[in-house]
Amino acid sequence: MPELPEMETYKQLLAPRILHLPIEDVIVNRAKSINVEIDFFRQELLHHAIVSIERRAKHLLFTLDSGLVLLLHLMLGGSMFYGTHSPNRSAQVVLNFGEYSLFFIGLRLGYLHLHTSSEINRLLAKLGPEPLNAPFTIKQFLHIMQGRKSTLKATLVDQSVISGIGNCYSDEICFEAGLLPARKINTLNEEEQSRLFQAMRTLLLEAIHYGGYMDSPLYIGDHLTGQFDARCSVYDREGEPCVRCGNPLIKDQVSAKKCFYCLRCQH
């Protein structure tokens, strides 16, 4: 599932390609992927332009010149492609900008919903702070962690605690910090919590720099998206030697989620 770095990469690559261009056609091949009637959806998008793209947690928000907002969550199996044709898979929703179109692919669990800005604020109010935003300091992080008894894995992927982190980056952050994902938050001392905070910021920034881990290029010639996959230290690396100590990496279930770690390097 795309996480914060993947959605941030999509945002950065899409903005210079589609902002302020009129939407010339709207195709909806799956009514369940949107939240309003198809005719109304088309009516509110046709001949309008997207004036900004923002990311919140694992969502992208496409603000139209009318003030309405398209809220995208790709969920499991979702992706986007910008080009003249959809690559190998049917697209549930297509926005046409003339020669090129933006294809929303694999929206079986995901969605592209149309909302007012006030509805967006209400829908996203339950999300925790953005881990890379300047106002989110170590002091705020320590306050959020205080008194929690859940595992590191469960806490990091809980979108109401910190937003945007999922299975892949929770494992990578724990490895970067040298902490086992099964550790309970209330067993971490302040130095370990501080190490976790720094690992989170360092790891997410690096993942964004290398285009995230999901190999789903946005357009032909996109050589950025998915480049972090080769740099993952533990995720999906069961049995491979640890990049630090050479010990075989473990795959396990922690808080009912698959988890990868090194028993020798993480404590």
Side-chain angles (χ1 to χ4, degrees):
M1 179 187 296
E3 302 179 33
L4 185 159
E6 285 71 43
M7 300 310 281
E8 188 68 26
T9 299
Y10 275 147
K11 182 192 90 169
Q12 293 177 7
L13 294 179
L14 267 180
R17 288 170 171 80
I18 67 172
L19 287 188
H20 307 293
L21 296 179
I23 298 171
E24 297 186 8
D25 196 9
V26 178
I27 300 169
V28 179
N29 293 318
R30 184 176 184 268
K32 289 183 179 180
S33 295
I34 62 175
N35 63 325
V36 293
E37 293 295 326
I38 292 177
D39 288 345
F40 181 79
F41 189 83
R42 283 175 46 82
Q43 173 188 312
E44 294 300 320
L45 269 65
L46 273 175
H47 312 304
H48 287 282
I50 295 167
V51 295
S52 71
I53 306 174
E54 300 297 331
R55 182 196 54 77
R56 182 70 173 98
K58 302 177 186 179
H59 305 80
L60 283 189
L61 289 75
F62 301 86
T63 300
L64 300 166
D65 54 13
S66 64
L68 293 177
V69 182
L70 286 167
L71 179 65
L72 172 70
H73 198 319
L74 290 173
M75 301 289 283
L76 188 64
S79 64
M80 288 184 287
F81 186 79
Y82 181 73
T84 56
H85 298 89
S86 179
N88 303 322
R89 297 169 61 189
S90 62
Q92 282 70 51
V93 182
V94 182
L95 304 184
N96 175 263
F97 297 92
E99 182 182 357
Y100 291 91
S101 296
L102 180 58
F103 300 90
F104 296 89
I105 303 165
L107 293 185
R108 299 296 177 182
L109 298 175
Y111 54 81
L112 184 66
H113 287 179
L114 185 65
H115 292 289
T116 64
S117 58
S118 60
E119 288 172 340
I120 290 289
N121 292 335
R122 176 176 54 82
L123 288 167
L124 302 185
K126 61 185 178 181
L127 291 172
E130 288 284 334
L132 295 179
N133 281 4
F136 188 57
T137 62
I138 180 63
K139 183 178 180 180
Q140 187 179 359
F141 177 77
L142 293 174
H143 176 73
I144 289 174
M145 295 296 115
Q146 190 174 4
R148 293 191 176 274
K149 299 179 180 179
S150 54
T151 65
L152 268 174
K153 180 72 173 182
T155 302
L156 288 172
V157 301
D158 186 339
Q159 300 303 292
S160 68
V161 179
I162 300 172
S163 62
I165 299 170
N167 272 339
C168 173
Y169 296 108
S170 59
D171 288 353
E172 293 297 315
I173 289 166
C174 287
F175 180 78
E176 180 76 16
L179 299 168
L180 284 169
R183 280 282 298 277
K184 298 292 182 70
I185 293 292
N186 61 352
T187 70
L188 301 180
N189 60 39
E190 189 167 323
E191 187 277 330
E192 288 173 321
Q193 292 187 48
S194 178
R195 203 190 321 151
L196 181 67
F197 177 78
Q198 296 302 329
M200 176 181 68
R201 293 181 66 88
T202 299
L203 198 287
L204 291 175
L205 286 170
E206 182 184 2
I208 292 169
H209 180 75
Y210 287 100
Y213 79 96
M214 290 188 62
D215 187 16
S216 300
L218 181 63
Y219 52 85
I220 294 174
D222 172 10
H223 300 298
L224 173 63
T225 303
Q227 293 306 299
F228 186 73
D229 182 54
R231 304 179 72 87
C232 283
S233 297
V234 291
Y235 185 73
D236 232 4
R237 301 283 194 262
E238 178 187 10
E240 295 182 20
C242 172
V243 295
R244 288 180 181 159
C245 71
N247 208 43
L249 297 174
I250 303 294
K251 179 182 179 181
D252 202 353
Q253 285 265 330
V254 175
S255 300
K257 296 181 180 297
K258 72 174 181 178
C259 198
F260 301 87
Y261 55 86
C262 175
L263 270 176
R264 185 175 293 173
C265 293
Q266 294 171 254
H267 308 284

